[in-house]
């Protein structure tokens, strides 16, 4: 069983994955200086499990053993809440995306969806899925969640695309299983995972039956090609030195995954053709995943710390507007955390027994995340001063002649070190413009769905008839049927912990 960060890194070696980066195949991703920081970030999830088992592990009902929380199926509200607390802590420790939440949220959503497909169609998916969960838990594997197709023309359904491969679909069937073809974009941590779970990315209709495929496959399955995604300033980690990268140890990872007739055996298929359950899966997955973005509040803690540190090095920490800006950053950051953790506390059990967070508040959390980290980044750059984008390189700082000049002229307040000042500025650059801005900013915008996707979900659950009923009652207007202000349903039933209709 993979238990420590070191076990994990060792487990990735020698897999002969077909990975492309800079137009060349990568021999061993583990040893590539640009890839390694992303592997270190995943390794941190194992090390946290060792140092804080209450936070980052749970006892599995399927194996009877303590397993990494990223592989655990939430059996209570506390389990869902602890996912968020673990995510905040890992954001604090790594300052980046630690890549395992997509897999965790895929497992938790599939628990209920497979159960409900079986209930309606008499299929054997749920037991297969439980067997897979127990298998991954007893091995300690990392699971990547592959949902987002490349999608081609966004206005057309999968079956209506000019090229059917723009959505992953079943290309061939045998008695033993199915073969899939297509491509998934932006896949977080896919090369650092052991298994991928492939899922549809949107609501499907009857004509999209062949696209309604969910299955688990090993990352090194025959027929998979990975094309590594570039990140801003990524080659700095190949230049030697650790100052200019800003966060030398940790980074995120995304890649495109291309499937060409990749086999999934029957025992690893969890949906095949039940197109009417694709929307349920997408909505449940995004429900969990949109409040997983509490990870950004952990990264935000790092950015606030960096902003406070640079203000200290610049000698302005006590200025009232600086203190107020740090308060504003904290307010924004805690708003993200508050909505995420509230969604988790307002979890409810599904028919299968898994607990699912609150859909309304999870969407509010993610919608905040599409905006607030950008404002946090703006304030951090305000406090940083222009040097965050104009400072010289580590080589210049270490140069025999230029170095002493830079040490003298780039010094902040007396008693602070020039190098420490530059290190903090590079970290702010890393989080707001560089490598980890991928996770902190643009992923905050699009990951788990672009902003409009949350607005659609919020609109669906806004219960305007109920609210009109409240207003009309107080205004002395007769209330229409269906708008009774005393009957709780859907979101309001969850708010008041009531049975629908109470
Ligand atoms: C850093 C990062 C990591 C990610 N990690 C993962 C991962 O691990 N696994 C995974 O499965 N996915 C992952 N994603 C994918 C993420 O879920 C998608 O980026 C998101 O769903 C948006 O899809 P898109 O990027 O194709 O953008 P698009 O869908 O092209 O959206 C671009 C714009 O067009 C609008 N738009 C799109 N379709 C329509 C339409 N039909 N009508 C009107 N407007 C439309 C959107 O609202 C948006 O404003 C990741 C994304 C990022 C950026
Ligand atoms: S962006 Fe956050 S939620 Fe998504 S995988 Fe990375 S750390 Fe987890």
């Amino acid at each position: 069983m993979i238990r420590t960060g070191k076990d994990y890194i060792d487990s990735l070696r020698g897999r002969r994955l077909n990975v492309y980066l800079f137009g060349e195949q990568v021999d061993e991703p583990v040893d590539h200086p640009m890839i390694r920081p992303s592997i270190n970030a995943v390794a941190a999830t194992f090390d946290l499990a060792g140092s804080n088992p209450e936070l980052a592990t749970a006892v599995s009902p399927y194996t009877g053993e303590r397993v990494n929380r990223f592989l655990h199926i939430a059996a209570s509200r506390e389990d869902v809440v602890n996912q968020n607390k673990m995510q905040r802590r890992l954001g604090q420790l790594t300052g980046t995306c630690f890549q395992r939440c997509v897999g965790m949220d895929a497992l938790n959503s599939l628990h209920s969806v497979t159960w409900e497909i079986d209930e309606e169609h008499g299929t054997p998916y749920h037991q297969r899925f439980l067997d897979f969960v127990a298998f991954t838990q007893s091995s300690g594997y990392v699971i990547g969640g592959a949902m987002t197709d490349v999608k081609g023309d966004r206005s057309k359904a999968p079956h209506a695309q000019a090229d059917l491969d723009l959505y992953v679909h079943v290309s061939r069937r045998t008695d033993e299983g199915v073969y899939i073809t297509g491509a998934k974009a932006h896949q977080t941590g896919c090369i650092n995972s052991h298994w991928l779970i492939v899922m549809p990315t949107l609501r499907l209709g009857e004509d999209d039956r062949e696209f309604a495929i969910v299955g688990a496959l090993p990352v090194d399955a025959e027929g998979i090609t990975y094309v590594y995604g570039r990140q801003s300033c990524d080659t700095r980690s190949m230049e030697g030195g650790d100052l200019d990268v800003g966060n030398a140890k940790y980074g995120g990872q995304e890649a495109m995954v291309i499937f060409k007739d990749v086999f999934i055996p029957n025992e690893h298929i969890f949906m095949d053709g039940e197109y009417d359950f694709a929307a349920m899966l997408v909505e449940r997955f995004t429900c969990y995943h949109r409040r997983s973005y509490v990870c950004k509040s952990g990264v935000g803690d790092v950015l606030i710390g960096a902003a406070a540190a640079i203000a200290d090095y610049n000698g302005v920490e006590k200025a009232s507007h600086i203190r107020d800006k740090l308060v504003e950053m904290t307010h924004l950051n805690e708003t993200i955390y508050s909505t995420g953790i509230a969604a988790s506390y307002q979890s409810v059990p599904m028919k299968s027994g898994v607990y699912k967070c609150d859909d309304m508040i999870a969407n509010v959390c993610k919608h905040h995340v599409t905006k607030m980290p950008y404002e946090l980044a703006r304030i951090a750059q305000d406090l940083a001063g222009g040097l965050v984008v104009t400072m010289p390189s580590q080589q210049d700082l270490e140069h025999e002649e230029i170095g002493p000049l830079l040490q003298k002229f780039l010094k902040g307040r007396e008693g602070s070190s020039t190098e420490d000042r530059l290190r903090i500025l590079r970290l702010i650059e890393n989080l707001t413009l560089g490598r980890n801005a991928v996770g902190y900013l643009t992923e905050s915008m699009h990951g788990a769905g672009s902003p409009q996707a949350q607005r659609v979900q919020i609109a669906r659950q806004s219960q305007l008839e109920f609210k009109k009923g409240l207003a009309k009652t107080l205004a002395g207007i007769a209330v229409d049927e269906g708008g009774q202000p005393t009957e709780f349903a859907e979101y309001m039933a969850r708010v008041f912990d009531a049975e629908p209709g109470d």
Side-chain angles (χ1 to χ4, degrees), residues 102 145-148 151 154 185-188 254 438 442-443 446-450 452:
V102 190
M147 181 169 264
T148 311
K151 295 189 294 196
R154 271 76 174 144
H186 329 294
Q187 295 304 297
T188 295
E254 296 82 27
V438 171
T442 314
E443 182 170 29
H446 288 294
S450 313
Q452 183 59 16

Side-chain angles (χ1 to χ4, degrees), residues 268-347:
H268 290 146
I269 294 174
F270 312 129
M271 177 195 286
D272 181 12
E274 293 81 10
Y275 61 87
D276 43 334
F277 280 85
M280 178 191 280
L281 176 58
V282 173
E283 279 169 23
R284 292 196 183 166
F285 169 78
T286 52
C287 178
Y288 286 108
H289 204 47
R290 287 178 186 166
R291 60 85 236 200
S292 280
Y293 277 66
V294 153
C295 69
K296 309 298 177 199
S297 65
V299 180
D301 290 328
V302 177
L303 187 62
I304 294 167
I310 196 62
D312 175 23
Y313 294 150
N314 289 346
V316 295
E317 198 178 28
K318 293 199 172 62
S320 65
H321 82 99
I322 299 285
R323 288 155 81 123
D324 191 52
K325 283 168 181 164
L326 291 168
V327 169
E328 178 64 9
M329 290 178 86
T330 305
H331 161 69
L332 293 169
N333 202 45
E334 295 305 332
T335 302
I336 293 171
Y337 180 70
S338 308
T339 42
I341 203 78
S344 295
Y345 273 113
Q346 202 154 282
S347 291

Side-chain angles (χ1 to χ4, degrees), residues 17 60 122 139 145 147 154 174 183 189 191 220 270 293 326 355 453 466:
L17 302 182
S60 164
S139 317
M147 181 169 264
R154 271 76 174 144
T174 66
I191 293 157
D220 55 1
F270 312 129
Y293 277 66
L326 291 168
Y355 273 68
F466 170 82

Side-chain angles (χ1 to χ4, degrees), residues 194-205:
H194 300 97
W195 284 76
L196 295 178
I197 297 182
V198 172
M199 301 168 279
T201 196
L202 78 183
R203 177 181 296 276
L204 298 174

